[in-house]
Amino acid sequence: MSSQNNSKHSDNFKGKIIQTGIAAGTLLFIFSWLAYTFRFSRLDPASPVLFLHQSAVIQNIIAFCFIILISIVLSLLYYALLGKGKPFITGIVFGAVLFWLLFSFISHSMLNLITVFCLLICYSVFISTSISWVYERRR
């Protein structure tokens, strides 16, 4: 019975991590769309799916699902690799690494770089603090 109860808590914990990924992806999409709309960023959140010749609404829906999927994977990856670290510091480092990975794919205007960097830092700090909070509550 103890192993069944432990498995139930493990499934609940994985569900919380997935919920964190969904929330983080939703917030990232909304804030990146707002930054693109108000011309703070040249990075359209739907840019990975612009090759599809669909309406803008369908492209945004597909991009939203894509960002959610990536956020879930990054949340699980963060938990597996950095889950026990200090949430604020590891979140900033995680965001800086994400920015470094995306650096060659974004426009190099100063406003765009600052906007994307700040979005990724806030995104990764949200993931790190949320997962650390769930991890501590699990104990």
Side-chain angles (χ1 to χ4, degrees):
M1 183 140 170
S2 176
S3 66
Q4 183 182 15
N5 195 17
N6 193 14
S7 174
K8 187 177 181 181
H9 288 298
S10 177
D11 291 340
N12 186 26
F13 185 65
K14 288 178 187 174
K16 297 283 186 188
I17 292 173
I18 291 173
Q19 289 174 355
T20 299
I22 292 170
T26 302
L27 290 173
L28 179 66
F29 182 81
I30 290 170
F31 286 123
S32 62
W33 179 78
L34 286 172
Y36 179 74
T37 301
F38 292 114
R39 307 280 190 247
F40 289 112
S41 174
R42 294 183 187 163
L43 185 63
D44 184 5
S47 60
V49 294
L50 287 178
F51 66 90
L52 299 174
H53 300 292
Q54 302 289 330
S55 68
V57 172
I58 293 180
Q59 285 179 345
N60 282 329
I61 290 171
I62 293 170
F64 176 71
C65 293
F66 184 67
I67 289 173
I68 293 288
L69 182 65
I70 288 173
S71 294
I72 291 171
V73 169
L74 286 176
S75 294
L76 291 169
L77 184 68
Y78 179 86
Y79 171 69
L81 297 177
L82 305 168
K84 295 180 182 179
K86 301 282 184 193
F88 193 71
I89 301 299
T90 55
I92 291 174
V93 171
F94 191 62
V97 169
L98 288 176
F99 179 75
W100 180 71
L101 291 172
L102 293 176
F103 184 76
S104 63
F105 298 108
I106 58 178
S107 171
H108 289 95
S109 71
M110 188 58 73
L111 181 62
N112 189 48
L113 289 174
I114 292 170
T115 303
V116 171
F117 183 74
C118 290
L119 280 172
L120 289 175
I121 293 293
C122 291
Y123 168 74
S124 59
V125 167
F126 176 81
I127 288 175
S128 67
T129 54
S130 298
I131 289 176
S132 293
W133 183 77
V134 170
Y135 182 76
E136 290 298 320
R137 296 273 306 201
R138 181 178 174 214
R139 291 173 138 194

